[in-house]
């Protein structure tokens, strides 16, 4: 066995007992991870690269980590794919980028720093090792005459016999922007024009990690907004290399989902993963020895009204263990009820509520028997808002207790359909196929494992609830 990969397995085993470490969301064997990079399916297998600091659980010295999978659920660690080259254009870090199939040659386009440039690497051994050509960088800086606030994170696709690149940027005194480039050979690039420019006051001064792709009869542009630090989704039309957004919204209503990437797989599915950052102190992250998780793979589709729909990857069902099923549970006003028999810190829960006239209703997770710790995921009917209430999520003083959430409009007779994935410190919620809310919680009590139901104001009815324990994706249970 490869000694590097042996060491990775040992690291996983060493950290497996950490009560906050997710067991079925992908994360590296140890140390720091941020953005997903270079998602691609190659000869049937899925490859995920990621921003990684192999030196410790903090951002810096950025490499590209690498993992592969047959199903996007269970992963195998591969050796680090890209490392900074001393004296090269990526000497200070190999930042985010993408992977493409250049007529059989696997090719990465990524950001070298400093200054920010676009670099390329190719593989001659099916993505295992990567070579950087002497011609790097392939784009040495922003277009002449354009004052930019950033220049990074290429997203490349093939269109009508040419290659196109969307690059994250911002235009000084205007706002976040995505710049469009064109090339015949991935080596020489011409600037075309901005694909989209935002209004700095409304949508931030710099847009990172663009992802641009066709979906149904529309195009979608995802950008991660700095300094506000959330991801925006634009849906619109793309014609003559101009993108005209028709709608814009937040991609995830929680506070930890950032810098997503998407990929079209052999089944024609558009699949997205995003970085879930930690929500606890740097000291706590250093003590843990790891930081950063990837979201579950989400399958994207356009809804009949043109909004973006998101559903968890169906293959996640293969991780399901023990099952509980309940029907027609009537929640009285101000209900706060434990569900006997349903317990765990790695769970999948599907619940359908008739909110009735309740002010709010939903599911309590990581609930201590006396209720002293509990995280509430629910829907506030009067405000039309999906939320996570973390006021009692953890008794640690340095934990973030802020509530998170955002708009979810339920039509008059529409039930609330919550699909919740709890993975120790990760709470990832899909609501009615069209809203996601991802957050982090770090309960302190070993008995904060209960599940409950709550209602505020008037009562509500749970038409059906299914809960499953979820198995680890790592063979050694790590
Ligand atoms: N992370 C990378 C950048 C990107 C940022 C650096 C977004 O390429 O803009 O680690 O999280």
């Amino acid at each position: 066995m490869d000694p590097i990969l042996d060491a990775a397995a040992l690291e996983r085993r060493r950290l497996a007992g950490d009560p906050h470490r997710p067991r079925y969301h992908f994360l590296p064997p140890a140390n720091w991870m941020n953005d997903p990079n270079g998602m691609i399916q190659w000869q049937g297998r899925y490859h995920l690269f990621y921003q990684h600091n192999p030196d410790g659980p903090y951002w810096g010295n950025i490499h590209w980590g690498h993992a592969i999978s047959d199903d996007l659920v269970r992963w195998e660690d591969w050796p680090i794919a890209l490392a900074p080259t001393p004296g090269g254009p990526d000497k200070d870090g190999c930042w985010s980028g993408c992977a493409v199939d250049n007529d059989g040659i696997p090719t990465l386009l990524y950001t070298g720093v400093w200054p920010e440039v676009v670099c390329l690497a190719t593989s001659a051994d099916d993505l295992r090792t990567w070579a950087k050509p002497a011609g790097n960088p392939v784009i040495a800086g922003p277009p002449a005459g354009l004052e930019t606030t950033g220049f990074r994170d290429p997203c490349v696709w093939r269109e009508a016999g040419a290659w196109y690149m969307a690059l994250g940027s911002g235009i000084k005194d205007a706002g976040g922007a995505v710049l469009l480039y064109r090339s015949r050979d991935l080596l020489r690039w011409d600037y075309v024009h901005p694909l989209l420019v935002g209004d700095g006051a409304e949508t931030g001064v710099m847009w990172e990690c663009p992802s641009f792709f066709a979906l149904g009869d529309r195009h979608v542009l995802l950008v991660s907004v700095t300094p506000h630090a959330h991801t925006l989704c634009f849906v619109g039309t793309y014609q003559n290399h101009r993108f005209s957004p028709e709608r814009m919204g937040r991609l995830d209503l929680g506070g930890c989902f950032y810098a997503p990437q998407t990929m079209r797989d052999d089944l024609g599915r558009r699949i997205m993963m995003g970085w879930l950052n930690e929500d606890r102190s740097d000291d706590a992250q250093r003590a843990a020895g790891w930081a950063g998780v990837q979201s579950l793979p989400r399958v994207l589709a356009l809804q009949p009204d043109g909004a973006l729909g998101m559903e968890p990857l169906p293959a996640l069902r293969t991780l399901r263990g023990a099952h509980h099923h309940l029907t027609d549970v009537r929640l009285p006003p101000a209900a706060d009820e434990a569900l006997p028999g349903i317990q765990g810190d790695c769970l999948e829960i599907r619940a359908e509520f008739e909110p009735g006239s309740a002010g709010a209703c939903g599911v309590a997770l990581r609930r201590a028997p006396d209720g002293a710790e509990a995280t509430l995921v629910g829907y506030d009917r009067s405000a039309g808002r999906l939320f996570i209430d973390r006021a009692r999520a953890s008794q640690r003083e340095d934990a973030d207790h802020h509530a998170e959430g955002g708009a979810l409009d339920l039509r008059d007779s529409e039930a609330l359909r919550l699909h919740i994935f709890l993975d120790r410190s990760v709470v990832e919620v899909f609501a009615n196929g069209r809203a996601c809310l991802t957050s982090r919680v770090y309960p302190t009590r070993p008995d904060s494992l209960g599940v409950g139901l709550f209602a505020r104001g008037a009562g509500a009815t749970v038409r059906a609830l299914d809960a499953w324990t979820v198995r680890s994706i790592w063979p050694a249970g790590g």
Side-chain angles (χ1 to χ4, degrees):
M1 174 145 182
D2 184 328
I4 299 177
L5 301 179
D6 232 1
L10 280 176
E11 286 288 70
R12 290 201 180 278
R13 222 164 294 152
R14 182 173 68 83
L15 296 174
D18 178 339
H20 299 308
R21 185 169 160 96
R23 301 179 77 218
Y24 64 92
H25 284 73
F26 175 79
L27 78 181
N31 298 323
W32 172 269
M33 175 175 71
N34 54 299
D35 319 347
N37 290 151
M39 287 173 68
I40 191 168
Q41 196 176 15
W42 193 268
Q43 294 168 354
R45 308 193 82 181
Y46 295 96
H47 290 253
L48 169 69
F49 301 86
Y50 53 88
Q51 295 279 282
H52 179 48
N53 180 0
D55 300 338
Y58 49 88
W59 186 86
N61 190 23
I62 292 293
H63 291 53
W64 276 36
H66 189 183
I68 65 160
S69 174
D70 289 327
D71 58 2
L72 283 166
V73 175
R74 294 161 186 85
W75 296 91
E76 186 185 311
D77 293 308
W78 269 28
I80 282 178
L82 291 179
T85 298
D90 60 4
K91 63 183 183 332
D92 298 318
C94 301
W95 287 13
S96 286
C98 62
V100 293
D101 177 355
N102 184 14
D103 292 328
I105 303 175
T107 304
L108 307 180
L109 289 119
Y110 67 98
T111 310
V113 288
W114 285 97
E116 293 170 317
V117 293
V118 178
C119 293
L120 178 148
T122 55
S123 174
D125 58 2
D126 288 328
L127 290 74
R128 196 166 270 275
T129 59
W130 296 87
K132 303 172 187 175
N136 268 341
V138 294
I139 306 180
L146 201 67
E147 273 203 83
T148 56
T149 55
F151 189 73
R152 55 182 178 269
D153 310 334
C155 161
V156 175
W157 67 94
R158 212 196 272 270
E159 187 186 323
W163 291 102
Y164 285 82
M165 175 192 294
L167 200 63
S169 190
I171 297 177
K172 199 160 174 277
D173 300 326
V178 173
L179 307 180
L180 185 67
Y181 281 79
R182 178 172 34 221
S183 171
R184 292 271 156 213
D185 57 8
L186 295 175
L187 295 170
R188 280 155 300 178
W189 290 91
D190 297 315
Y191 175 56
V192 183
H193 49 228
L195 187 64
L196 190 66
V197 182
D199 170 347
E202 224 181 283
T203 52
V205 297
M206 157 71 200
W207 288 348
E208 308 182 297
C209 301
S211 184
F212 187 59
F213 51 91
L215 195 67
D217 60 357
R218 291 288 186 274
H219 267 71
V220 173
L221 176 66
L222 309 177
V223 294
S224 288
V225 177
T226 174
H228 304 317
H230 56 256
T231 300
L232 288 177
C233 169
F234 296 91
V235 180
T237 55
Y238 177 57
Q239 262 181 341
N240 303 321
H241 304 113
R242 304 260 173 202
F243 177 58
S244 310
E246 295 162 336
R247 51 165 79 221
M248 178 191 85
R250 276 187 66 167
L251 189 60
D252 191 286
L253 303 174
C256 72
F257 182 95
Y258 199 67
Q261 262 218 356
T262 74
M263 158 189 76
R264 190 170 186 276
D265 76 353
D266 292 349
L267 298 171
R269 302 178 298 185
R270 178 58 61 174
I271 295 166
M272 176 178 76
M273 291 172 82
W275 166 39
L276 310 183
N277 55 254
E278 300 299 318
D279 210 355
R280 55 179 173 164
S281 68
D282 290 352
D283 284 351
Q285 294 175 45
R286 282 179 192 255
W290 60 274
V293 187
Q294 296 301 330
S295 73
L296 295 174
R298 300 181 186 175
V299 182
L300 308 183
L302 273 198
Q303 301 259 307
D305 67 354
L308 186 75
M310 287 176 275
E311 293 284 5
L313 187 86
L316 290 162
R317 290 180 200 142
T318 60
L319 297 174
R320 287 175 180 169
H323 178 217
H324 279 84
H325 177 69
L326 305 172
T327 46
D328 294 321
V329 182
R330 175 87 202 119
L331 296 177
D336 176 14
E337 295 175 9
L339 291 175
I342 307 183
Q343 280 243 325
D345 56 3
C346 290
L347 297 170
E348 177 186 348
I349 299 170
R350 299 188 73 143
E352 188 171 316
F353 288 82
E354 250 169 53
S357 53
C361 59
V363 179
L365 306 165
R366 305 296 319 249
R367 185 182 188 281
D370 62 2
E373 282 189 335
T375 296
L376 308 182
V377 172
Y379 181 66
D380 182 333
R381 192 182 170 82
S382 46
R385 190 178 155 85
L386 180 70
F387 68 85
I388 182 164
D389 176 343
R390 300 185 296 170
R392 284 185 292 136
S394 171
Q395 292 183 331
R396 276 183 77 111
E397 273 176 23
D398 67 349
D400 190 335
H401 290 102
H402 286 101
E404 295 179 331
L408 168 66
D409 287 323
L410 293 187
R411 291 175 278 274
D412 280 349
S413 57
E414 191 179 5
L416 170 68
R417 288 184 289 111
L418 294 179
H419 195 169
I420 301 172
F421 292 86
L422 169 68
D423 191 3
R424 290 185 163 169
S425 58
V426 172
V427 181
E428 194 165 348
V429 182
F430 296 76
N432 291 57
R434 60 177 188 272
C436 281
L437 190 167
T438 312
S439 190
R440 304 298 300 272
V441 293
Y442 305 91
T444 59
R445 285 178 43 167
D447 61 351
S448 289
L449 296 172
V451 174
L453 295 167
F454 71 92
R456 292 180 186 151
T461 301
V462 182
R463 283 189 198 153
L465 183 143
D466 289 281
W468 295 266
T469 55
V470 181
R471 287 187 280 264
S472 166
I473 58 174
W474 303 106

